[in-house]
Amino acid sequence: MTLRIFIADDEGPARERIRELLQDIAAEMPTEIVGEARHGLEAIELVPKSRAQVLLLDIEMPGMRGLEVARHLAGLENGPAVVFITAHDKHAVEAFELNALDYLLKPVRATRLAAALKKASSAGAPAEERLAGAQSEAREYLSVTERHRIVLVPVRDIVFLRAEQKYVTLRTRNRTHLIEEPLITLESEFAKRFIRIHRNCLVAREAIRGFERAAPSADEPHWLVVLEGIEERLPVSRRQWPLLRELVADQK
Amino acid sequence: MPSIRQNDSSDLLPDFRNLAVIARVLVAVNAIALAGAIYAVPNVRGAIERFIEDAAFLEPLLFIEITVLFILSRQLGRLSYAAGCVASVAIVAVLAAGYEAGVASLSKTTAMTFRGALFAAVLAAVLLGYFRLFVKAYSPALAEARLQALQSRIRPHFLFNSLNVVLALIRRDPKRAERTLEDLADLFRSLMGDARDFVRLSDEITLLERYAEIEQLRLGERLRITWELDAAPSDALLPPLILQPLLENAVYHGVEPSTEVGDVLVRIERRGDRVLARIENATIEAGAERPGNRMAMENIRERLALFFDAEARMDVRVQHGRYRVEIEIPYLTQARRAA
């Protein structure tokens, strides 16, 4: 059976080399190239429609780095298995080992490539948790997976994240999305950017414009966050108030 | 080849035209005068008054001495180390005696010519000893800087990616593959060469072009380098591998992480007695930057200091979306050094 392969690498000669190697091992491991991408964002756009079974993914790409690409793709139904490729990134290699992710070193050897493909074809897409474990820095995007499409939302555009039953509502200035990640993991990943104002809500620090007292009719007096570019006011819990007040005092 | 090898330079007179040498002499002499004043007068205020008084006498002499040594530095440099030392000490002593006599005749006091000359001679000898020790103390640093230069220069990322480029070329364009390997060999030869010898600017520029050619193959149209080298003095001498790491940095931080075309500017020119090199790239939007820039920059700064002391300048500036590194060194040539 022919294996459908997608190649993502920003360097033309590197993609060419992979194509050559795939030809060389064709007798042993028949493959078909169903797509190529020159940077991370292009991979996110093209891979879902390609029906690729294995993605050969360079980790040092402009636009979006390989590990993050893989994390966004992990939400796909029947997503591809991923084999990472790196020229030299000691930290990445350690992280791959630790999280049992497959990788190849550049320059790639034909025999290694064949072995990796064999393994990948039976393994299927890597679990999101393992990818998350291997990525040390925070993501630049959050993603919403539709059937054959991945919608990326830049983290820097997000104004707040609010947990609502099963989902987390993600609010940018002009849109609302639902994502399926727990608020607590988002909080620790993006601690630099967001601050908790309530048990169920994280707000972008730089979007905070000020605080307002809630209408006196409320049972207990409490405070509301005023946000840049959004009408909605969000309640601050009593527990978080001292922390926020300090933060605002620091800014002044 | 001229070099800054310790065996040669510890037995060389200090360069009396070097700003840092002059500064050290000024500081040392004044410090000794201050110590003398504190020793002679028991209270602080008195000591300071005494020091100011002494300085008024001392400073003009010091400037005369430094100026004369500055003018004669080349002649002195041609003597053997021992003869040079004797001559320097003698010049200092004679000038001090003359100055002492001059001041005494003006102020109608008794001249203490011999005492003045002796004092100046002892001080000069001590300072020469200090400079010799100073150079010796620095030589292990030289060896280390060389090692460091080596290690931080070979960015493994570049090596493996370049090898990958060659592998990709071998079947389609074997001639090109051969040339690329030759370029790589040249690059690594100079990376592994003796980091203590000066090199000619023209050789350094060739190296830049070899490096650029490899990167061009790898990155294709994403890399666009503008060369402004018409005013570059090809005979200028500079420490090896000062420019190539800067270009590599520009590519690594300014071109590779971007999906757009990355512009890099390389401009080298002579301005009077100085050589100016500027390497510039567009900065990348926040979030996509790569870490690990400071080490390479520190390394270059340190090596410039080892070669030129205070006479080299390195400036890093981020402005209007451009990241700009500028280096300024004295215009040295083989002919000028030999003169």
Side-chain angles (χ1 to χ4, degrees):
Chain A
M1 214 196 76
T2 321
L3 202 59
R4 295 188 299 274
I5 309 272
F6 193 104
I7 305 171
D9 194 311
D10 60 317
E11 294 171 16
R15 292 195 301 273
E16 189 178 330
R17 178 67 184 155
I18 298 279
R19 286 199 297 269
E20 278 177 1
L21 289 173
L22 288 173
Q23 268 169 28
D24 291 351
I25 60 171
E28 177 191 350
M29 168 65 65
T31 54
E32 171 200 1
I33 296 167
V34 293
E36 291 189 11
R38 289 161 304 165
H39 56 81
L41 294 172
E42 201 171 53
I44 294 278
E45 189 192 328
L46 300 178
V47 169
K49 282 171 270 182
S50 72
R51 298 185 55 244
Q53 292 164 293
V54 180
L55 167 61
L56 296 174
L57 181 59
D58 182 37
I59 67 162
E60 272 162 344
M61 278 189 299
M64 187 191 287
R65 291 171 59 81
L67 258 167
E68 182 164 351
V69 170
R71 286 185 70 178
H72 294 302
L73 293 176
L76 286 175
E77 228 174 284
N78 296 321
V82 178
V83 177
F84 292 100
I85 301 181
T86 177
H88 171 88
D89 188 332
K90 250 171 53 195
H91 300 292
V93 165
E94 278 166 19
F96 293 150
E97 293 281 356
L98 210 64
N99 293 280
L101 295 165
D102 289 325
Y103 67 92
L104 292 168
L105 291 172
K106 257 188 208 176
V108 176
R109 271 174 200 272
T111 49
R112 289 270 169 80
L113 179 64
L117 290 180
K118 205 165 283 167
K119 196 169 154 206
S121 62
S122 58
E128 217 282 330
E129 296 80 66
R130 279 192 283 141
L131 295 166
Q135 194 183 17
S136 54
E137 70 265 43
R139 283 169 290 176
E140 284 180 63
Y141 297 85
L142 291 181
S143 57
V144 184
T145 312
E146 293 169 6
R147 208 172 149 68
H148 286 299
R149 203 167 77 97
I150 292 168
V151 180
L152 293 175
V153 183
V155 171
R156 60 170 178 273
D157 289 354
I158 300 173
V159 182
F160 68 81
L161 294 154
R162 186 165 55 198
E164 272 151 40
Q165 286 150 16
K166 262 189 76 184
Y167 296 96
V168 167
T169 305
L170 176 168
R171 182 79 159 86
T172 67
R173 275 199 205 185
N174 352 320
R175 291 207 55 185
T176 303
H177 303 270
L178 290 180
I179 56 171
E180 266 186 278
E181 291 185 57
L183 202 63
I184 183 105
T185 58
L186 291 169
E187 184 182 18
S188 64
E189 182 173 354
F190 301 107
K192 268 197 203 137
R193 203 167 175 91
F194 295 94
I195 186 160
R196 189 178 278 267
I197 59 162
H198 194 276
R199 189 166 40 80
N200 69 359
C201 191
L202 303 176
V203 165
R205 291 166 192 267
E206 53 182 51
I208 298 178
R209 279 296 148 263
F211 298 93
E212 253 179 27
R213 245 182 207 290
S217 64
D219 311 342
E220 293 173 46
H222 65 268
W223 292 85
L224 299 173
V225 179
V226 182
L227 293 164
E228 167 110 359
I230 284 189
E231 281 296 307
E232 194 176 346
R233 306 280 194 259
L234 300 171
V236 180
S237 74
R238 240 194 297 162
R239 209 172 135 182
Q240 295 302 116
W241 173 242
L243 189 79
L244 281 157
R245 199 176 40 191
E246 242 169 68
L247 186 84
V248 174
D250 283 352
Q251 281 172 351
K252 275 174 188 165
Chain B
M1 256 281 130
S3 79
I4 52 168
R5 276 204 184 91
Q6 53 157 328
N7 299 343
D8 307 336
S9 49
S10 73
D11 289 341
L12 275 182
L13 283 180
D15 177 4
F16 296 119
R17 299 192 171 193
N18 186 304
L19 267 181
V21 168
I22 294 173
R24 285 190 190 108
V25 169
L26 287 175
V27 169
V29 172
N30 281 295
I32 288 169
L34 181 61
I38 291 169
Y39 183 74
V41 185
N43 63 67
V44 174
R45 194 185 205 161
I48 289 173
E49 272 164 18
R50 171 69 177 270
F51 170 65
I52 291 169
E53 223 170 89
D54 288 352
F57 172 79
L58 203 60
E59 241 60 63
L61 172 59
L62 200 48
F63 280 110
I64 295 170
E65 310 258 26
I66 286 171
T67 311
V68 170
L69 287 176
F70 185 98
I71 294 166
L72 294 179
S73 88
R74 234 160 240 168
Q75 283 75 5
L76 287 170
R78 254 178 253 150
L79 301 173
S80 71
Y81 178 68
C85 284
V86 171
S88 311
V89 170
I91 289 169
V92 169
V94 168
L95 285 172
Y99 180 76
E100 182 89 35
V103 172
S105 77
L106 279 177
S107 61
K108 311 240 170 11
T109 50
T110 341
M112 290 184 289
T113 350
F114 180 69
R115 206 184 79 168
L118 189 63
F119 182 70
V122 169
L123 206 55
V126 167
L127 280 175
L128 284 172
Y130 157 76
F131 279 115
R132 196 187 154 112
L133 278 179
F134 180 79
V135 171
K136 286 229 157 115
Y138 249 71
S139 43
L142 275 182
E144 193 158 321
R146 177 176 167 238
L147 250 180
Q148 227 186 348
L150 252 175
Q151 287 176 339
S152 61
R153 283 322 322 122
I154 306 170
R155 201 170 255 160
H157 164 89
F158 170 70
L159 172 63
F160 293 120
N161 278 319
S162 304
L163 288 176
N164 206 35
V165 166
V166 175
L167 282 169
L169 280 173
I170 283 178
R171 295 185 205 177
R172 177 169 53 93
D173 191 349
K175 282 261 153 59
R176 193 84 195 256
E178 282 171 18
R179 221 170 60 223
T180 308
L181 273 181
E182 285 160 3
D183 284 350
L184 260 181
D186 278 347
L187 261 173
F188 275 81
R189 197 187 314 285
S190 74
L191 283 169
M192 291 166 179
D194 193 330
R196 292 171 301 181
D197 288 328
F198 278 102
V199 293
R200 280 168 59 92
L201 181 58
S202 53
D203 294 338
E204 198 67 3
I205 288 174
T206 311
L207 202 67
L208 285 183
E209 288 166 345
R210 302 254 147 94
Y211 166 74
E213 199 156 329
I214 297 173
E215 292 291 50
Q216 198 76 64
L217 275 176
R218 194 159 74 80
L219 299 170
E221 59 210 22
R222 277 163 64 203
L223 172 64
R224 200 158 55 197
I225 304 184
T226 311
W227 302 90
E228 293 184 7
L229 302 174
D230 292 345
S234 56
D235 59 345
L237 294 178
L238 72 168
L241 293 169
I242 293 286
L243 301 176
Q244 188 273 338
L246 291 177
L247 183 56
E248 191 173 334
N249 252 328
V251 172
Y252 186 79
H253 294 282
V255 181
E256 277 189 73
S258 170
T259 50
E260 314 280 308
V261 173
D263 275 307
V264 176
L265 170 76
V266 181
R267 179 195 293 159
I268 305 170
E269 62 190 341
R270 178 181 159 194
R271 251 187 236 162
D273 249 4
R274 316 279 288 168
V275 177
L276 246 79
R278 171 192 288 191
I279 292 180
E280 218 179 85
N281 60 271
T283 49
I284 297 300
E285 79 245 48
E289 316 102 330
R290 290 173 142 167
N293 179 16
R294 206 163 302 149
M295 263 274 287
M297 289 297 174
E298 273 322 300
N299 186 291
I300 293 169
R301 205 184 283 280
E302 202 171 299
R303 280 191 298 135
L304 281 174
L306 278 167
F307 274 85
F308 296 112
D309 214 327
E311 300 211 49
R313 189 178 62 84
M314 176 168 156
D315 232 20
V316 179
R317 209 174 296 174
V318 184
Q319 218 173 24
H320 310 304
R322 307 282 291 173
Y323 182 91
R324 192 171 84 194
V325 185
E326 224 171 45
I327 281 181
E328 203 186 304
I329 58 170
Y331 175 50
L332 283 180
T333 64
Q334 208 120 330
R336 284 174 138 220
R337 282 178 66 93

